[in-house]
Amino acid sequence: MDLSAINPTLLVAALMVASTPIILAAIGEMVVEKAGVLNLGVEGMMIVGAICGFAIAVETGSPFWGFAAAALGGAVLSLLFGVLTQYFLSNQVATGLGLTLFGLGLSALMGQGYVGIRPPEMGKIEVPVLSDLPFFGPVLSNQDAMVYVALLLVMATWVVLRFTRAGLVLRAVGENHDAAHALGYKVVRVRMMAIFFGGACAGLGGAYLSLIRVPQWTEGMTAGAGWIALAIVVFGAWRPFRVLLGAYLFGGVTVLQLNLQAAGANIPVEYLSMSPYLITIAVLVIMSSGKAKAALNAPACLGRQFHASS
Amino acid sequence: MIRLEKRPEPSKLWSWATPPLAVILTMIAGGLMFAALGKDPVAAIRTIFWDPIFGEFAFYYRGQLLVKAGPLILIAIGLSLGFRAGIWNIGAEGQYIIGAICGAAVGLAFYPWESFIVFPLMVIAGAIGGLLWAMIPGLLKVKFNTNEILVSLLLVYVAEFILASMALGALRNPDGSGFPGSRNFRSYPAAFNDEIIAGTGMHWGVAAAFIAVIFAYVLLARHQLGFQIKLAGQAPRAARFGGVNPVRLVLFCLGISGALAGLAGLFEVTGPAGQINIDFNVGYGFTAIIVAFLGRLHPVGILLAGLLLALTYIGGEAAQSALGLPAAAIQAFQGMLLFFLLAVDVLTNFRVRFGAGEAA
C-alpha cells in the first residue's frame, strides 16, 4: 500500500464535494424536523431529484435548469408526504417509508432513457484572493457553484432559525404545536412550507450526486445517502453548523476509504465500502448516549400528529 | 368546507374496507400511470392481476405465487409485531441477507455430507443470523437509546457489502471456475429446499410462513405478550404503568422480526434462488413493509396482502414480457399502494363532515 499517493489537499477538496449532497439533504430535513415533522422519505426525494435534475440537464444542456428541476421534483414529491401526513393525518414513519419506496420506483421508471449518458458539465468558480492561499486555495476555491450554495444555505438556515420571526414561529410549531395553534399560528401551513423546503433541498442533494459527484444516472444511485442525511441531523443535534460538521465527517470517511481503495490497501474493497455506514452508526450511538444526549435537543413535537380538534 | 372529526374509536367497518379501497384506487392510478407510459391500461391491469391466476399460463404462475408470497408473509409477520408496539425495524432486507449467508455457510461447510440433519441445522443458523443482525439495532436501542429506524436501515447497506464479499470470497464455489456466487444448492440434495408438493411452489419457507401466521395470531389474541405489544403501541404510558418491560419488548420485537427475516432469506437461498450471489436480495424486506401495512398488521390480513403483493411481482413480470412494461413500474405501483392505503386510512380514525360546522 502506498499511502504517500494520498494528497491531503486533494483529499480535503474531494471531501467538500463528497459531503455537499449530504449537507443539502440534511439541512432541509433539519428544518422539517425543527417544524416537528419526521420525514423519512429523504432517500426517495433525493433519488427523484437526481433523475429530474439529470433528465432536464441533459435535455436543456444546462446544469442550472437541471438543479432547478431537481429542487422542484423533490419538493413536489414532498408535498405528497405533506398532504398525507398533515391533512390526511397518516402515520409519519409509514408515510416517509412509503415515499422512499415510491421514489425509488418512480425514479427508475423516469430514468430509463438516461442510463449511460454523461450530463453537461458545470463550471468551477474561482474565488479571487482565496485561490492564491496555500492549502485553502485548492480546497475552498475552484469548486462548483453548488458547494457554495450548500454552505450559504447552512448559513441562511442558521440566521433564519435563530434571528428571525419566521424562524421563531417554525420552532414554536415544532416544540409545542398546541400552544402555537392557540397563539393563532397556522401549524399545518408552517409545516407544509417546511416540508416543501426539505423536499427541494433533498432534490438538490440528489441532483448533485447525478450531475456532479458521479456524474451519471444509475438506478438506486443515492445508495443510502438520504438515510445518512437523516442520521446526520440527529448527530448534529438539530443545529445547522453541527449538521455541517457531521456531513464533513461523513464526506471525509467516504473520500478516505475511496483513496485507500485506490492506494491498494490490504483490506477487501467491500469492507472499505461499508465503513461510511458503520461510522454513521457509531456516531449515532455516541450522540444518543451518555452526556451528549442529542435526543434532549430534539423538537418536542417531532413526529406527532396535529389535529386542531383534539 | 370539509372537516375531519375524530372518531371516539376507530371504525371497525372502515378498518376492513380501507385495504380493498386502497387496492382499487391504486389500480386506477396505476392504470393512469401505465397509460402515461403508452400502454393500454386495461390490458396492463388484467395482465398483472387476472392472467396469472386465471389466464392461459396460470398453471405456471400459480406456483410462483406461493414462492413469492412465502418470504413476504414471513418477514411481514415479524415486522407487524414491532410496528404494533411502535418499534420500527425497517432493515429486514439486511436480516434477510445475513440469515441467508449464515444458513448457506453452515450448509456449505457440511458439503457433500448427505444427512437429514444438514437442512435443519441450516434453518437454525439462518434464524440465528437474522436474529443477531437485528439485535444490533435492538441492543443499541436499549443500551444507548439509538434510533432503531436509522440503525436497522443503515445495516442493510452493510449487509449488502458483506453479501458481495461472501459471493466473491469466502463462500465462492471452488469448482465455479472463478465466477462469483456459491455452490448451487440444487446440486446438494441434503441442503436443497425442495417443493413439498411438486408443482405448487409450496416449499418449506411457505410452510414456515403459514405457521408464523398461526403463531402470530395466537400470540396477539391469546397471549399476554401479545397484549403487551398492543398496549405498548396504543397507550405507551399505560403500558409503563402496567408493568410492561420496554427493554424486553424491544428485544423481543426486533429479535423475532430478525429471526423470521433470516428464515425467509435461508429458505430463499436454498430454494428459489439456489445460491448466494451478489444480486441475491431483490427487496422482499422492503416490500414486506407494504405487506404489513396493507394487512393492517393483522396476521390474516398479512397473509392476504402477501398473496396480493406476490401477484404484483409475478403479474409485473408477465406484463414485462407481454407488454414491455418496465420493471420499475411495478415498484412504483407498490409504493403507490402504500400511499393510497395511508391516505384512505383517515376514514378509519376520522369522520368526514361536509358543510360549515361550528368554529374549529
Side-chain angles (χ1 to χ4, degrees):
Chain A
M1 183 165 83
D2 183 14
L3 277 180
S4 62
I6 300 176
N7 177 337
T9 316
L10 288 180
L11 193 77
V12 181
L15 177 156
M16 302 284 289
V17 173
S19 49
T20 298
I22 306 289
I23 297 175
L24 286 166
I27 206 73
E29 177 64 17
M30 194 200 81
V31 170
V32 178
E33 292 191 13
K34 271 285 183 193
V37 179
L38 180 65
N39 185 353
L40 291 180
V42 183
E43 178 86 2
M45 301 186 297
M46 274 186 100
I47 194 126
V48 167
I51 183 56
C52 285
F54 191 87
I56 297 297
V58 167
E59 300 300 337
T60 61
S62 147
F64 172 80
W65 286 114
F67 276 108
L72 190 68
V76 167
L77 199 65
S78 75
L79 281 188
L80 208 57
F81 171 86
V83 169
L84 282 181
T85 56
Q86 302 306 307
Y87 293 103
F88 287 81
L89 302 163
S90 66
N91 179 313
Q92 294 185 3
V93 174
T95 314
L97 284 174
L99 196 66
T100 292
L101 296 175
F102 177 65
L104 288 170
L106 183 70
S107 64
L109 198 57
M110 289 164 74
Q112 289 198 335
Y114 293 96
V115 179
I117 311 178
R118 275 193 83 80
E121 269 188 48
M122 194 161 190
K124 309 266 186 208
I125 297 178
E126 193 148 328
V127 185
V129 188
L130 200 62
S131 55
D132 300 330
L133 294 173
F135 185 72
F136 289 104
V139 170
L140 288 175
S141 177
N142 210 18
Q143 299 277 18
D144 54 88
M146 286 311 287
V147 169
Y148 303 111
V149 169
L151 290 176
L152 288 176
L153 204 61
V154 174
M155 217 93 81
T157 306
W158 177 67
V159 170
V160 169
L161 282 179
R162 199 178 167 114
F163 298 112
T164 68
R165 192 181 165 75
L168 190 65
V169 173
L170 183 104
R171 282 186 289 145
V173 164
E175 293 295 343
N176 190 336
H177 50 215
D178 294 320
H181 175 69
L183 287 171
Y185 296 120
K186 304 285 184 212
V187 173
V188 169
R189 195 177 302 167
V190 170
R191 287 189 168 162
M192 284 300 284
M193 287 195 285
I195 292 168
F196 191 79
F197 174 77
C201 287
L204 284 179
Y208 192 86
L209 282 171
S210 64
L211 288 176
I212 294 170
R213 173 116 165 82
V214 177
Q216 226 183 32
W217 164 254
T218 45
E219 274 182 32
M221 66 178 299
T222 44
W227 295 102
I228 285 164
L230 276 160
I232 297 285
V233 176
V234 178
F235 170 80
W238 294 269
R239 293 191 183 125
F241 287 106
R242 280 176 61 177
V243 166
L244 184 69
L245 189 72
Y248 280 153
L249 177 76
F250 173 78
V253 175
T254 310
V255 171
L256 190 65
Q257 63 93 359
L258 284 175
N259 272 276
L260 284 173
Q261 283 185 22
N266 205 8
I267 312 168
V269 174
E270 290 85 12
Y271 292 95
L272 283 172
S273 307
M274 71 174 77
S275 60
Y277 303 98
L278 289 175
I279 298 226
T280 307
I281 293 174
V283 296
L284 261 181
V285 170
I286 295 165
M287 288 314 291
S288 37
S289 69
K291 277 183 240 146
K293 279 269 183 211
L296 293 179
N297 253 321
C301 282
L302 185 59
R304 280 181 37 203
Q305 262 179 16
F306 174 74
H307 185 238
S309 75
S310 52
Chain B
M1 172 91 197
I2 304 169
R3 283 183 309 116
L4 294 176
E5 200 172 89
K6 197 161 174 60
R7 292 177 194 272
E9 259 176 55
S11 154
K12 280 247 162 55
L13 171 72
W14 277 114
S15 73
W16 278 99
T18 43
L21 180 63
V23 172
I24 292 167
L25 287 173
T26 311
M27 282 188 188
I28 296 170
L32 291 176
M33 179 176 81
F34 300 144
L37 289 166
K39 315 285 175 204
D40 177 7
V42 179
I45 297 288
R46 202 188 56 228
T47 312
I48 295 170
F49 290 99
W50 184 263
D51 288 357
I53 311 180
F54 304 107
E56 194 182 342
F57 300 106
F59 60 89
Y60 166 74
Y61 287 124
R62 275 186 209 145
Q64 284 296 303
L65 196 63
L66 287 180
V67 169
K68 304 269 196 240
L72 287 175
I73 294 169
L74 202 51
I75 300 170
I77 286 284
L79 294 181
S80 70
L81 296 178
F83 290 177
R84 270 179 185 253
I87 297 157
W88 299 93
N89 172 16
I90 58 170
E93 185 81 358
Q95 294 138 21
Y96 172 86
I97 293 172
I98 298 296
I101 292 175
C102 289
V106 166
L108 293 170
F110 285 123
Y111 182 85
W113 188 39
E114 286 291 340
S115 165
F116 70 94
I117 198 78
V118 173
F119 192 66
L121 283 178
M122 291 168 72
V123 171
I124 293 168
I128 291 177
L131 178 96
L132 291 180
W133 200 246
M135 273 301 117
I136 301 173
L139 288 173
L140 293 179
K141 168 102 180 165
V142 298
K143 284 274 168 215
F144 303 108
N145 199 24
T146 314
N147 183 321
E148 81 280 12
I149 302 178
L150 294 174
V151 175
S152 63
L153 192 282
L154 287 171
L155 283 173
V156 173
Y157 294 95
V158 177
E160 280 177 349
F161 284 119
I162 293 179
L163 174 69
S165 150
M166 288 296 153
L168 299 169
L171 295 183
R172 177 149 72 180
N173 184 357
D175 309 326
S177 51
F179 282 105
S182 72
R183 267 181 216 284
N184 199 312
F185 286 101
R186 279 173 218 288
S187 50
Y188 180 19
F192 182 54
N193 172 20
D194 206 356
E195 288 181 330
I196 303 171
I197 309 163
T200 55
M202 176 89 182
H203 60 66
W204 288 107
V206 182
F210 289 143
I211 294 167
V213 167
I214 295 166
F215 265 85
Y217 184 84
V218 173
L219 178 76
L220 287 170
R222 291 278 176 271
H223 197 276
Q224 194 193 355
L225 193 58
F227 174 72
Q228 292 189 346
I229 288 173
K230 289 192 273 190
L231 186 64
Q234 286 168 7
R237 257 174 73 83
R240 273 203 302 282
F241 293 130
V244 175
N245 181 347
V247 169
R248 220 185 64 166
L249 201 62
V250 167
L251 292 182
F252 173 79
C253 287
L254 279 167
I256 198 86
S257 57
L260 289 179
L263 278 180
L266 176 274
F267 288 125
E268 188 72 14
V269 77
T270 50
Q275 58 168 173
I276 288 282
N277 212 340
I278 303 171
D279 51 2
F280 159 66
N281 60 314
V282 290
Y284 285 145
F286 294 116
T287 311
I289 298 173
I290 303 178
V291 172
F293 279 110
L294 188 64
R296 295 219 142 272
L297 308 180
H298 187 282
V300 178
I302 287 171
L303 182 69
L304 298 175
L307 288 169
L308 182 78
L309 266 286
L311 186 60
T312 64
Y313 269 115
I314 52 177
E317 275 169 29
Q320 259 180 71
S321 53
L323 303 170
L325 197 73
I330 287 303
Q331 210 185 341
F333 191 83
Q334 292 173 347
M336 242 191 253
L337 183 58
L338 182 53
F339 271 145
F340 277 112
L341 183 75
L342 293 167
V344 292
D345 223 16
V346 76
L347 298 170
T348 312
N349 293 313
F350 292 87
R351 239 181 231 117
V352 182
R353 290 256 189 256
F354 297 95
E358 73 273 41

